[in-house]
Structure formats: structure tokens, C-alpha cells
Amino acid sequence: MPEWLTPVAKAAETVEPKQLSRFLPPESGAGRQSAVLILFGEGEQGPELLLMERASSLRSHAGQPSFPGGALDPEDGDPAGDGPLRAALREAEEETGLDPAGVQIFGVLPKLYIPVSGFVVTPVLAWWREPTPVGVVDPAETARVFTVPVAHLTAAEHRVTSVHPRGHQGPAFLVGDALVWGFTAGVIDRILHYAGWERPWDRTKQVPLDWRA
């Protein structure tokens, strides 16, 4: 694993759930167990992240850029054990076509919660040790697959505050013609912060979530 990933691995060992999000899993144990793969690679412009855009026809989070991932299946195993790791790799393979054999898991972040869909999400951190071709496997699930340089995500000109029609605000990233927001942007924002990669940006620069309308 490259040295530049060390700050991320160290942060994963100490970060508390409340430091990542105000939305935490219900104490009752309710919620659908799921996992996402936060896959770091080395591209032409240096460190990068693998993202995808969900198909606009999906019931949950349609059209949103996101990490590969989804709900745990019974064959993934124990949700409190290695189940989320297996689910993250399985879903990433199903959605992007990547070869899990070239992926090295190096950490897991605390479980978080997405209230709108009721998902309890385990963010799985991984290093793309041996990159393989990726792309849309099933258009009904995925609109596109792409990588984003970390340098792009830390650049002030690409950072904005998203404003939901209901008034909710959160960190967001302008990535080409896409706006990365919501859960995915929140996790990226916290990783950049706790890894020491964050650069000053204008938090008053707002973008409404209907920006492409």
C-alpha cells in the first residue's frame, strides 16, 4: 500500500461515528445492513477514487453519484463480522466489473445511517493494488462509472455546499457535469478532513440540488 494512504488508514483506526455524521444507526438495530467500497487508486493525475452514477430508474438514490455498494445478501455472512467486506467487493464487481482479486482492503469506517432509505452503511476502505477495466455492467443499475483525482476533490473551486429543496445543507463536489452530494460527499469530506488533505474552501458557495433543471 502506498505511503500516501497511511493518513487514511490511521484515521480509520481512531475516528468516532459522530465525527463522520450526525446520522447514526438506530439503537434499536433497525435498518437494512449495507456496505460501500471506498476504493483508492493511482491514476495519471495521482491518487484517485472510484465512483459511479446510479441509474435514474432506481427506487433509492436515483441518478446520484455514489460509491459502489449495496445491501448485504445472506451469502455475504455476518453483518457484524466480514459480511460488509464481502458485500462491498461483491457489489463493486456487479456494478463496475472490477476484479476483486486486485483490491486490498485496509480499513473500515464506523457504520453510518441513511435515513431516507433506511440503510445502515459500513464504509469499506480499499487500495486498488492491481487495477482492472471498469464500466457499466447493468444499465438498469448504473448509468456510468468513473474515477476522480483526489486533487480535484480537494481543490477549492470544486467544493460547494449543496442545498436540498427542504433546506438541508451539506458538503458537495463539482465533478465534471455531476454534483457529488449527500452521503457520498459527506464521507469524502470527512476523509479529506481527518486524513489532513482538506484545503480551505468557500462554504458560502451554494448549489441547489435542482441545479441541472
Side-chain angles (χ1 to χ4, degrees):
M1 199 170 75
E3 281 191 23
W4 56 262
L5 267 178
T6 300
V8 181
K10 287 185 176 180
E13 295 174 356
T14 59
V15 70
E16 297 290 333
K18 62 183 178 181
Q19 293 177 302
L20 294 176
S21 174
R22 61 190 178 93
F23 299 115
L24 304 180
E27 294 183 4
S28 65
R32 191 176 183 189
Q33 295 293 326
S34 64
V36 295
L37 186 68
I38 303 177
L39 184 59
F40 291 90
E42 186 83 52
E44 294 181 358
Q45 299 180 55
E48 61 184 16
L49 271 176
L50 178 69
L51 296 177
M52 52 172 271
E53 185 175 314
R54 295 169 60 80
S56 58
S57 58
L58 293 176
R59 288 185 299 174
S60 297
H61 311 289
Q64 287 189 29
S66 68
F67 301 116
L72 269 67
D73 285 346
E75 59 265 31
D76 293 323
D78 186 0
D82 291 338
L85 280 60
R86 295 192 187 94
L89 291 173
R90 175 184 55 76
E91 286 282 346
E93 181 179 14
E94 292 176 1
E95 293 174 330
T96 74
L98 66 76
D99 184 353
V103 175
Q104 175 184 336
I105 294 174
F106 66 86
V108 176
L109 295 177
K111 292 180 183 291
L112 304 174
Y113 188 60
I114 304 180
V116 67
S117 56
F119 281 111
V120 175
V121 186
T122 299
V124 178
L125 301 167
W127 159 239
W128 210 351
R129 186 181 65 248
E130 297 178 13
T132 49
V134 292
V136 174
V137 176
D138 182 357
E141 294 277 340
T142 309
R144 64 179 175 133
V145 177
F146 57 101
T147 57
V148 183
V150 171
H152 182 103
L153 296 170
T154 59
E157 62 267 28
H158 300 140
R159 303 215 54 181
V160 296
T161 295
S162 64
V163 182
H164 192 276
R166 295 180 181 176
H168 308 310
Q169 298 186 8
F173 300 84
L174 296 169
V175 179
D177 61 351
L179 179 70
V180 180
W181 62 283
F183 174 85
T184 303
V187 173
I188 293 175
D189 172 76
R190 293 297 82 197
I191 289 176
L192 297 180
H193 177 76
Y194 288 110
W197 295 347
E198 186 177 34
R199 293 163 54 186
W201 59 284
D202 184 3
R203 297 172 187 271
T204 66
K205 182 181 177 183
Q206 298 184 341
V207 173
L209 289 181
D210 58 351
W211 69 307
R212 285 186 291 185

